[in-house]
Amino acid sequence: MRKTKKRLRKEMSVTLKIRKDEQREIECLYDAKVTLANTCTELKHTRQKLEEVRKDNQTLLPLCDKAENILRVLLEKWISKETRKKVALTIRFYHRNERLEMYYAMLQYVMTGRKTRFDKPVMQWHFRLFAEMVDEDRYTVPSNTLLKRLWKKVGLVEGIGN
């Protein structure tokens, strides 16, 4: 007995009878699938951007380290040994960008006397402590007369405090 193609298709086909509640569930599942697919696509793009940023970061880290070392060495020319130790102890707990910001502010204060205002209260407090230490050092450390000696040597300004 040979069955016709129509009959075979009829027997093999499955007819789904869906109730209203099941229809809503299927629609919710479909929406979730679409959302998941979109999220996966966004995640791929985010991973690619992350890799690019990591590569850029790897090239910038040595530059930041060099800048930090330069600022540290310049600052150490102006402060006493005790102050250097306290600065090194305090600043080692900061992140790289905050260390750079703090070194710059300290160097600026030592050279020009201009104080910097920080967003974080802890940084502001540490800077205030540093300023107090430097103000005490100004009377004892000979390096604080460095600018005066330099100006005399170059002859830029005559008669700066003998």
Side-chain angles (χ1 to χ4, degrees), residues 132-155:
E132 290 172 5
M133 287 187 291
V134 168
D135 290 340
E136 290 174 12
D137 288 347
R138 286 197 178 165
Y139 301 107
T140 58
V141 180
S143 65
N144 285 315
T145 61
L146 192 60
L147 265 180
K148 184 172 27 172
R149 289 182 288 161
L150 180 65
W151 284 347
K152 273 187 178 181
K153 189 174 185 177
V154 175

Side-chain angles (χ1 to χ4, degrees), residues 5-124:
K5 286 184 182 179
K6 249 186 183 179
R7 196 172 194 188
L8 268 173
R9 281 187 200 154
K10 204 174 195 182
E11 287 177 4
M12 294 178 76
S13 67
V14 177
T15 308
L16 293 175
K17 293 183 180 177
I18 301 173
R19 286 182 272 154
K20 289 181 182 177
D21 296 336
E22 291 174 355
Q23 180 67 27
R24 284 189 205 131
E25 288 176 14
I26 290 173
E27 287 173 1
C28 288
L29 287 174
Y30 179 76
D31 292 343
K33 180 183 172 186
V34 169
T35 305
L36 185 59
N38 291 340
T39 305
C40 287
T41 305
E42 290 175 10
L43 184 59
K44 254 187 223 176
H45 294 301
T46 305
R47 283 183 183 162
Q48 290 171 352
K49 287 180 184 177
L50 179 63
E51 287 304 315
E52 291 172 8
V53 169
R54 280 185 181 166
K55 287 177 186 175
D56 291 343
N57 193 21
Q58 291 302 320
T59 59
L60 293 176
L61 286 179
L63 294 174
C64 289
D65 290 339
K66 285 180 184 178
E68 183 181 339
N69 286 335
I70 289 170
L71 288 172
R72 182 181 47 78
V73 167
L74 285 172
L75 179 66
E76 288 177 354
K77 301 274 186 203
W78 293 86
I79 58 179
S80 67
K81 288 182 181 179
E82 294 82 23
T83 307
R84 284 182 208 153
K85 289 178 185 175
K86 290 178 183 176
V87 166
L89 179 70
T90 304
I91 214 157
R92 73 177 186 188
F93 296 106
Y94 287 110
H95 292 287
R96 179 175 277 114
N97 59 339
E98 292 170 344
R99 282 195 308 260
L100 286 168
E101 186 179 0
M102 185 65 91
Y103 274 135
Y104 177 74
M106 289 175 175
L107 187 62
Q108 186 178 23
Y109 178 72
V110 168
M111 293 177 78
T112 65
R114 199 169 97 198
K115 291 186 178 181
T116 305
R117 183 123 178 97
F118 295 99
D119 294 334
K120 295 184 178 180
V122 173
M123 288 179 76
Q124 187 66 35

